[in-house]
Amino acid sequence: MSLTTVTPGKRLGITHDYSAGKGTYVRNGTIFATVCGKKHIIENEPGTLPIIAVLGKNQESAIPVVGSEILGKVTKIHAKQATVSIMMIGNVPCRKDFHGIIRLQDVRATEKDKVKIFECFRPGDVLRAQIISMGDQRSYYLSTAKNEYGVVFAQSSLGNTMIPISWNEMQDPKTLIIENRKCAKPF
Amino acid sequence: MFSSRAFDNRLVNVPEQSIPPFLEEPKSIKDSVINNSRLDGRDQVTPRLLFIKTGLVDKAHGSAYLEQGKIKISCAVYGPRPVVKAGAVISATTGNLECEFSFSSFSSSWRTVKQRDTEEKEISQILTQALGPSICLHMFPKSSIDVYVTVIESDGRLATIAAAIKCATIALVDASIDMFDVVTCVSASLFNNSWVIDCTQAEENEEDSSILLSYMVSSQEITNVIQTGKTSIELSQNGLNLCVDVGSKIYQAMCQYLSKSL
């Protein structure tokens, strides 16, 4: 592993010898750096080319793309949709101010016509969801229509952290009050 | 003497004797430039020395400060972040580069008026054109990258724009935004038949023609070129070639700083 510092536009190698990783791009069969950072050559599985990657000084920040899994916080709910502030994309924290919307029809896969947003999410819940579309002018469209997507952390109306007891219910361990949520299936 | 005629208050009373305000004719800057003896002792093809520093603005994702002779410029880069500007065109496939260039009111030898100033808008446009091709905008769908350039002191219009582009590039690299290449920018002015690199305001005042060239060195692509004034085709080509040569040297200096700053 060699650690030379490179700047954007620096030629790193050819695609014949290496495959392009993070912080690089390919033009005319040549790999170039796109960020200023240290050049890493990561040995891949035998039979495949080693990967060239450039890792900058800042932790790279993620941009939401269709298909990525996110962690977010519900900021407000409405009869037809819940608004989510996206916090993590995959395992990478993202910059603030990325908004997502879970529409009524994207909450769950079955009985879509019987969904009530208020019985699935409350403001302050932390949920796991998937980005299904780039959405409208300001928000991304999210979906929780899978068993492993839904609320992962919620507090009851008294402020106690609740534990999931079924796919659509959570219970406050102190007061034993049961509230409705669209829960994520625990791993 | 005054008593002999009536003193008239309505007239401007001039002194009896007057002398010209200048004792000697000021030396022509143009002549000194052509004779390869510029006021600051530089060669015709030598740009002013650069001072670069990154990370001055804590709040910004990337920032840079650049000095080039008397020119002092600071730049802050925010992004990639969701588009906040009202009425902006949002694309689901590519990002948006937004450049804002501003002179501080004390930056020039004349006072810049904040209202109805189209110059700042025009230079912002030049910045967007010069920097746009160097950024991997396809990697930032639905997001915007905002570049704010403030001129603290200027010296020569084109030299200031050139310095602003260099400063903005360094700030973009500091923000770890994916870029195809580092953009350098060189200004040159024509005096009689010779191109002179990186002219000050005093020199630009007497130029015959000028070139501003933004250039990506490792991919050898010109992102923006502006030429004003009349020249022949051969002279223009000479000027462009000279700018490319000098730009390559500046690129090395910029890269050297960027690798060290890491």
Side-chain angles (χ1 to χ4, degrees):
Chain A
M1 197 148 85
S2 59
L3 287 177
T4 41
T5 309
V6 294
T7 48
K10 178 97 177 167
R11 194 176 155 275
L12 300 174
I14 52 172
T15 47
H16 186 74
D17 300 335
Y18 300 102
S19 60
K22 262 184 191 165
T24 61
Y25 74 101
V26 177
R27 187 181 52 218
N28 295 337
T30 311
I31 303 169
F32 292 91
T34 62
V35 290
C36 184
K38 296 259 192 281
K39 181 176 97 171
H40 292 258
I41 295 172
I42 304 156
E43 289 299 330
N44 218 344
E45 293 154 33
T48 51
L49 298 170
I51 299 168
I52 283 193
V54 179
L55 304 179
K57 56 176 176 180
N58 302 8
Q59 264 294 315
E60 95 281 25
S61 64
I63 294 287
V65 288
V66 173
S68 49
E69 197 181 282
I70 63 113
L71 272 177
K73 197 173 199 174
V74 180
T75 50
K76 62 184 175 192
I77 55 171
H78 187 258
K80 285 181 182 161
Q81 64 191 37
T83 310
V84 176
S85 166
I86 299 173
M87 301 190 296
M88 299 265 281
I89 297 157
N91 295 320
V92 187
C94 80
R95 297 218 164 115
K96 56 173 190 174
D97 301 333
F98 282 106
H99 290 293
I101 282 177
I102 305 175
R103 295 172 298 175
L104 196 64
Q105 64 266 35
D106 298 324
V107 171
R108 62 181 188 225
T110 55
E111 295 190 296
K112 288 181 178 180
D113 49 341
K114 289 182 183 158
V115 177
K116 288 189 179 117
I117 288 283
F118 188 69
E119 289 175 1
C120 297
F121 310 112
R122 302 277 171 90
D125 293 358
V126 176
L127 55 80
R128 189 184 298 125
Q130 191 181 29
I131 297 175
I132 52 166
S133 140
M134 297 303 279
D136 58 9
Q137 280 275 309
R138 58 172 48 185
S139 4
Y140 295 85
Y141 285 159
L142 309 175
S143 167
T144 53
K146 256 185 187 175
N147 285 345
E148 58 267 37
Y149 297 142
V151 176
V152 290
F153 171 88
Q155 288 182 319
S156 71
S157 46
L158 292 165
N160 301 319
T161 302
M162 296 194 293
I163 44 172
I165 52 170
S166 76
W167 73 270
N168 66 347
E169 282 174 326
M170 282 182 128
Q171 190 176 36
D172 183 339
K174 287 192 180 142
T175 59
L176 303 181
I177 293 171
I178 291 173
E179 287 186 15
N180 289 320
R181 292 288 196 283
K182 198 290 179 189
C183 298
K185 183 182 165 192
F187 287 120
Chain B
M1 255 163 88
F2 275 97
S3 57
S4 62
R5 50 196 159 101
F7 187 79
D8 193 348
N9 272 324
R10 291 168 297 179
L11 292 175
V12 178
N13 295 290
V14 294
E16 304 229 319
Q17 248 194 342
S18 64
I19 49 164
F22 296 113
L23 289 172
E24 54 184 290
E25 276 286 302
K27 260 172 90 181
S28 166
I29 290 170
K30 192 168 178 173
D31 291 338
S32 65
V33 168
I34 292 166
N35 296 331
N36 217 347
S37 58
R38 292 167 82 174
L39 291 181
D40 42 10
R42 276 187 291 147
D43 205 326
Q44 280 185 346
V45 293
T46 312
R48 281 170 279 185
L49 293 178
L50 285 181
F51 173 81
I52 307 168
K53 190 147 179 66
T54 51
L56 274 97
V57 186
D58 287 339
K59 259 189 154 181
H61 300 128
S63 60
Y65 171 79
L66 184 137
E67 271 185 33
Q68 182 180 333
K70 271 164 80 181
I71 301 171
K72 294 177 183 70
I73 288 173
S74 80
C75 176
V77 171
Y78 298 84
R81 61 180 183 183
V83 182
V84 282
K85 199 180 167 191
V89 182
I90 300 167
S91 162
T93 50
T94 63
N96 192 27
L97 174 69
E98 201 72 50
C99 293
E100 204 175 298
F101 179 92
S102 60
F103 284 112
S104 49
S105 56
F106 47 82
S107 64
S108 313
S109 49
W110 58 92
R111 187 176 164 78
T112 47
V113 186
K114 265 283 158 260
Q115 293 105 10
R116 63 207 159 98
D117 193 354
T118 52
E119 176 145 33
E120 291 181 351
K121 279 186 185 167
E122 189 193 331
I123 299 175
S124 304
Q125 202 74 37
I126 295 172
L127 249 67
T128 313
Q129 279 178 9
L131 298 172
S134 75
I135 301 171
C136 306
L137 284 171
H138 64 276
M139 291 169 88
F140 313 111
K142 253 187 104 179
S143 313
S144 84
I145 292 162
D146 301 319
V147 177
Y148 299 96
V149 179
T150 310
V151 177
I152 300 161
E153 192 174 346
S154 73
D155 190 10
R157 182 179 181 270
L158 286 179
T160 306
I161 300 173
I165 291 170
K166 281 178 279 197
C167 189
T169 317
I170 292 161
L172 283 165
V173 175
D174 185 49
S176 288
I177 287 167
D178 291 85
M179 294 169 79
F180 292 118
D181 208 341
V182 173
V183 181
T184 59
C185 192
V186 182
S187 67
S189 299
L190 185 70
F191 293 91
N192 283 359
N193 282 324
S194 54
W195 287 100
V196 178
I197 291 291
D198 191 21
C199 288
T200 61
Q201 185 66 53
E203 289 165 345
E204 273 188 16
N205 288 340
E206 297 184 28
E207 72 189 7
D208 301 326
S209 167
S210 64
I211 285 184
L212 178 77
L213 179 98
S214 310
Y215 181 62
M216 298 199 288
V217 176
S218 74
S219 54
Q220 302 190 327
E221 283 174 50
I222 291 172
T223 57
N224 179 277
V225 60
I226 297 170
Q227 184 178 355
T228 48
K230 264 189 187 171
T231 57
S232 65
I233 292 173
E234 289 78 31
L235 264 178
S236 297
Q237 283 173 341
N238 288 345
L240 289 171
N241 288 335
L242 181 65
C243 285
V244 166
D245 286 350
V246 176
S248 309
K249 284 175 194 154
I250 295 174
Y251 167 81
Q252 283 170 3
M254 287 162 75
C255 285
Q256 201 180 354
Y257 174 78
L258 287 169
S259 339
K260 272 186 187 167
S261 73
L262 196 76

PDB file of all heavy atoms in Angstrom, chain B residues 149-169:
ATOM      1  N   VAL B 149     -17.418  34.255  -3.526  1.00  0.00           N
ATOM      2  CA  VAL B 149     -16.109  34.878  -3.643  1.00  0.00           C
ATOM      3  C   VAL B 149     -16.226  36.341  -3.238  1.00  0.00           C
ATOM      4  O   VAL B 149     -17.123  37.040  -3.711  1.00  0.00           O
ATOM      5  CB  VAL B 149     -15.577  34.780  -5.094  1.00  0.00           C
ATOM      6  CG1 VAL B 149     -14.230  35.442  -5.204  1.00  0.00           C
ATOM      7  CG2 VAL B 149     -15.497  33.343  -5.535  1.00  0.00           C
ATOM      8  N   THR B 150     -15.358  36.777  -2.351  1.00  0.00           N
ATOM      9  CA  THR B 150     -15.349  38.178  -1.952  1.00  0.00           C
ATOM     10  C   THR B 150     -13.973  38.762  -2.228  1.00  0.00           C
ATOM     11  O   THR B 150     -12.969  38.193  -1.820  1.00  0.00           O
ATOM     12  CB  THR B 150     -15.661  38.319  -0.454  1.00  0.00           C
ATOM     13  OG1 THR B 150     -16.825  37.567  -0.172  1.00  0.00           O
ATOM     14  CG2 THR B 150     -15.902  39.763  -0.095  1.00  0.00           C
ATOM     15  N   VAL B 151     -13.971  39.884  -2.937  1.00  0.00           N
ATOM     16  CA  VAL B 151     -12.712  40.558  -3.219  1.00  0.00           C
ATOM     17  C   VAL B 151     -12.470  41.578  -2.116  1.00  0.00           C
ATOM     18  O   VAL B 151     -13.271  42.480  -1.904  1.00  0.00           O
ATOM     19  CB  VAL B 151     -12.751  41.253  -4.594  1.00  0.00           C
ATOM     20  CG1 VAL B 151     -11.467  42.008  -4.832  1.00  0.00           C
ATOM     21  CG2 VAL B 151     -12.975  40.241  -5.677  1.00  0.00           C
ATOM     22  N   ILE B 152     -11.376  41.397  -1.396  1.00  0.00           N
ATOM     23  CA  ILE B 152     -11.032  42.348  -0.343  1.00  0.00           C
ATOM     24  C   ILE B 152     -10.253  43.516  -0.941  1.00  0.00           C
ATOM     25  O   ILE B 152     -10.482  44.667  -0.610  1.00  0.00           O
ATOM     26  CB  ILE B 152     -10.215  41.642   0.755  1.00  0.00           C
ATOM     27  CG1 ILE B 152     -11.054  40.505   1.354  1.00  0.00           C
ATOM     28  CG2 ILE B 152      -9.804  42.604   1.847  1.00  0.00           C
ATOM     29  CD1 ILE B 152     -10.264  39.474   2.089  1.00  0.00           C
ATOM     30  N   GLU B 153      -9.346  43.190  -1.850  1.00  0.00           N
ATOM     31  CA  GLU B 153      -8.640  44.251  -2.561  1.00  0.00           C
ATOM     32  C   GLU B 153      -8.381  43.778  -3.976  1.00  0.00           C
ATOM     33  O   GLU B 153      -8.061  42.612  -4.183  1.00  0.00           O
ATOM     34  CB  GLU B 153      -7.318  44.577  -1.841  1.00  0.00           C
ATOM     35  CG  GLU B 153      -6.688  45.846  -2.348  1.00  0.00           C
ATOM     36  CD  GLU B 153      -5.457  46.243  -1.538  1.00  0.00           C
ATOM     37  OE1 GLU B 153      -5.260  45.687  -0.452  1.00  0.00           O
ATOM     38  OE2 GLU B 153      -4.716  47.101  -2.021  1.00  0.00           O
ATOM     39  N   SER B 154      -8.583  44.684  -4.926  1.00  0.00           N
ATOM     40  CA  SER B 154      -8.363  44.290  -6.314  1.00  0.00           C
ATOM     41  C   SER B 154      -7.262  45.144  -6.917  1.00  0.00           C
ATOM     42  O   SER B 154      -6.985  46.248  -6.452  1.00  0.00           O
ATOM     43  CB  SER B 154      -9.653  44.427  -7.121  1.00  0.00           C
ATOM     44  OG  SER B 154      -9.927  45.789  -7.340  1.00  0.00           O
ATOM     45  N   ASP B 155      -6.642  44.599  -7.959  1.00  0.00           N
ATOM     46  CA  ASP B 155      -5.619  45.351  -8.674  1.00  0.00           C
ATOM     47  C   ASP B 155      -5.588  44.818 -10.097  1.00  0.00           C
ATOM     48  O   ASP B 155      -4.927  43.841 -10.384  1.00  0.00           O
ATOM     49  CB  ASP B 155      -4.262  45.173  -7.982  1.00  0.00           C
ATOM     50  CG  ASP B 155      -3.218  46.127  -8.538  1.00  0.00           C
ATOM     51  OD1 ASP B 155      -3.615  47.026  -9.302  1.00  0.00           O
ATOM     52  OD2 ASP B 155      -2.043  45.976  -8.205  1.00  0.00           O
ATOM     53  N   GLY B 156      -6.352  45.468 -10.966  1.00  0.00           N
ATOM     54  CA  GLY B 156      -6.474  44.991 -12.332  1.00  0.00           C
ATOM     55  C   GLY B 156      -7.714  44.129 -12.453  1.00  0.00           C
ATOM     56  O   GLY B 156      -7.841  43.153 -11.737  1.00  0.00           O
ATOM     57  N   ARG B 157      -8.608  44.480 -13.354  1.00  0.00           N
ATOM     58  CA  ARG B 157      -9.898  43.794 -13.428  1.00  0.00           C
ATOM     59  C   ARG B 157      -9.717  42.327 -13.768  1.00  0.00           C
ATOM     60  O   ARG B 157     -10.174  41.441 -13.049  1.00  0.00           O
ATOM     61  CB  ARG B 157     -10.787  44.474 -14.473  1.00  0.00           C
ATOM     62  CG  ARG B 157     -12.156  43.867 -14.600  1.00  0.00           C
ATOM     63  CD  ARG B 157     -12.989  44.600 -15.629  1.00  0.00           C
ATOM     64  NE  ARG B 157     -14.314  44.000 -15.708  1.00  0.00           N
ATOM     65  CZ  ARG B 157     -14.617  43.016 -16.536  1.00  0.00           C
ATOM     66  NH1 ARG B 157     -13.695  42.512 -17.334  1.00  0.00           N
ATOM     67  NH2 ARG B 157     -15.840  42.517 -16.562  1.00  0.00           N
ATOM     68  N   LEU B 158      -8.996  42.068 -14.887  1.00  0.00           N
ATOM     69  CA  LEU B 158      -8.861  40.670 -15.321  1.00  0.00           C
ATOM     70  C   LEU B 158      -7.994  39.880 -14.361  1.00  0.00           C
ATOM     71  O   LEU B 158      -8.264  38.708 -14.097  1.00  0.00           O
ATOM     72  CB  LEU B 158      -8.267  40.618 -16.734  1.00  0.00           C
ATOM     73  CG  LEU B 158      -9.232  41.009 -17.846  1.00  0.00           C
ATOM     74  CD1 LEU B 158      -8.546  40.935 -19.178  1.00  0.00           C
ATOM     75  CD2 LEU B 158     -10.457  40.134 -17.830  1.00  0.00           C
ATOM     76  N   ALA B 159      -6.974  40.516 -13.816  1.00  0.00           N
ATOM     77  CA  ALA B 159      -6.111  39.821 -12.862  1.00  0.00           C
ATOM     78  C   ALA B 159      -6.921  39.418 -11.634  1.00  0.00           C
ATOM     79  O   ALA B 159      -6.716  38.333 -11.070  1.00  0.00           O
ATOM     80  CB  ALA B 159      -4.951  40.712 -12.462  1.00  0.00           C
ATOM     81  N   THR B 160      -7.869  40.262 -11.256  1.00  0.00           N
ATOM     82  CA  THR B 160      -8.705  39.940 -10.099  1.00  0.00           C
ATOM     83  C   THR B 160      -9.616  38.760 -10.398  1.00  0.00           C
ATOM     84  O   THR B 160      -9.787  37.860  -9.570  1.00  0.00           O
ATOM     85  CB  THR B 160      -9.530  41.170  -9.695  1.00  0.00           C
ATOM     86  OG1 THR B 160      -8.647  42.256  -9.491  1.00  0.00           O
ATOM     87  CG2 THR B 160     -10.316  40.903  -8.438  1.00  0.00           C
ATOM     88  N   ILE B 161     -10.196  38.746 -11.621  1.00  0.00           N
ATOM     89  CA  ILE B 161     -11.056  37.616 -11.990  1.00  0.00           C
ATOM     90  C   ILE B 161     -10.231  36.331 -12.021  1.00  0.00           C
ATOM     91  O   ILE B 161     -10.650  35.279 -11.527  1.00  0.00           O
ATOM     92  CB  ILE B 161     -11.725  37.864 -13.364  1.00  0.00           C
ATOM     93  CG1 ILE B 161     -12.581  39.129 -13.320  1.00  0.00           C
ATOM     94  CG2 ILE B 161     -12.576  36.674 -13.766  1.00  0.00           C
ATOM     95  CD1 ILE B 161     -13.122  39.531 -14.666  1.00  0.00           C
ATOM     96  N   ALA B 162      -9.013  36.426 -12.576  1.00  0.00           N
ATOM     97  CA  ALA B 162      -8.145  35.250 -12.641  1.00  0.00           C
ATOM     98  C   ALA B 162      -7.843  34.739 -11.234  1.00  0.00           C
ATOM     99  O   ALA B 162      -7.911  33.530 -10.972  1.00  0.00           O
ATOM    100  CB  ALA B 162      -6.855  35.601 -13.369  1.00  0.00           C
ATOM    101  N   ALA B 163      -7.554  35.662 -10.335  1.00  0.00           N
ATOM    102  CA  ALA B 163      -7.243  35.269  -8.964  1.00  0.00           C
ATOM    103  C   ALA B 163      -8.477  34.659  -8.299  1.00  0.00           C
ATOM    104  O   ALA B 163      -8.372  33.685  -7.544  1.00  0.00           O
ATOM    105  CB  ALA B 163      -6.748  36.472  -8.178  1.00  0.00           C
ATOM    106  N   ALA B 164      -9.661  35.209  -8.618  1.00  0.00           N
ATOM    107  CA  ALA B 164     -10.900  34.696  -8.024  1.00  0.00           C
ATOM    108  C   ALA B 164     -11.145  33.256  -8.452  1.00  0.00           C
ATOM    109  O   ALA B 164     -11.551  32.412  -7.639  1.00  0.00           O
ATOM    110  CB  ALA B 164     -12.072  35.580  -8.440  1.00  0.00           C
ATOM    111  N   ILE B 165     -10.863  32.948  -9.727  1.00  0.00           N
ATOM    112  CA  ILE B 165     -11.089  31.590 -10.224  1.00  0.00           C
ATOM    113  C   ILE B 165     -10.123  30.619  -9.555  1.00  0.00           C
ATOM    114  O   ILE B 165     -10.502  29.530  -9.124  1.00  0.00           O
ATOM    115  CB  ILE B 165     -10.972  31.557 -11.765  1.00  0.00           C
ATOM    116  CG1 ILE B 165     -12.161  32.306 -12.370  1.00  0.00           C
ATOM    117  CG2 ILE B 165     -10.922  30.133 -12.292  1.00  0.00           C
ATOM    118  CD1 ILE B 165     -12.064  32.550 -13.839  1.00  0.00           C
ATOM    119  N   LYS B 166      -8.871  31.044  -9.411  1.00  0.00           N
ATOM    120  CA  LYS B 166      -7.892  30.183  -8.739  1.00  0.00           C
ATOM    121  C   LYS B 166      -8.301  29.942  -7.293  1.00  0.00           C
ATOM    122  O   LYS B 166      -8.252  28.812  -6.784  1.00  0.00           O
ATOM    123  CB  LYS B 166      -6.499  30.830  -8.795  1.00  0.00           C
ATOM    124  CG  LYS B 166      -5.810  30.648 -10.128  1.00  0.00           C
ATOM    125  CD  LYS B 166      -4.471  31.330 -10.154  1.00  0.00           C
ATOM    126  CE  LYS B 166      -4.635  32.813 -10.416  1.00  0.00           C
ATOM    127  NZ  LYS B 166      -3.430  33.498 -10.836  1.00  0.00           N
ATOM    128  N   CYS B 167      -8.721  31.016  -6.637  1.00  0.00           N
ATOM    129  CA  CYS B 167      -9.114  30.925  -5.227  1.00  0.00           C
ATOM    130  C   CYS B 167     -10.321  29.987  -5.069  1.00  0.00           C
ATOM    131  O   CYS B 167     -10.345  29.133  -4.175  1.00  0.00           O
ATOM    132  CB  CYS B 167      -9.456  32.324  -4.731  1.00  0.00           C
ATOM    133  SG  CYS B 167      -9.718  32.439  -2.985  1.00  0.00           S
ATOM    134  N   ALA B 168     -11.295  30.111  -5.993  1.00  0.00           N
ATOM    135  CA  ALA B 168     -12.506  29.283  -5.916  1.00  0.00           C
ATOM    136  C   ALA B 168     -12.154  27.816  -6.142  1.00  0.00           C
ATOM    137  O   ALA B 168     -12.698  26.927  -5.475  1.00  0.00           O
ATOM    138  CB  ALA B 168     -13.519  29.756  -6.948  1.00  0.00           C
ATOM    139  N   THR B 169     -11.219  27.546  -7.073  1.00  0.00           N
ATOM    140  CA  THR B 169     -10.824  26.148  -7.310  1.00  0.00           C
ATOM    141  C   THR B 169     -10.221  25.534  -6.062  1.00  0.00           C
ATOM    142  O   THR B 169     -10.540  24.404  -5.699  1.00  0.00           O
ATOM    143  CB  THR B 169      -9.773  26.075  -8.427  1.00  0.00           C
ATOM    144  OG1 THR B 169     -10.158  26.932  -9.456  1.00  0.00           O
ATOM    145  CG2 THR B 169      -9.640  24.689  -8.957  1.00  0.00           C
TER     146      THR B 169
END
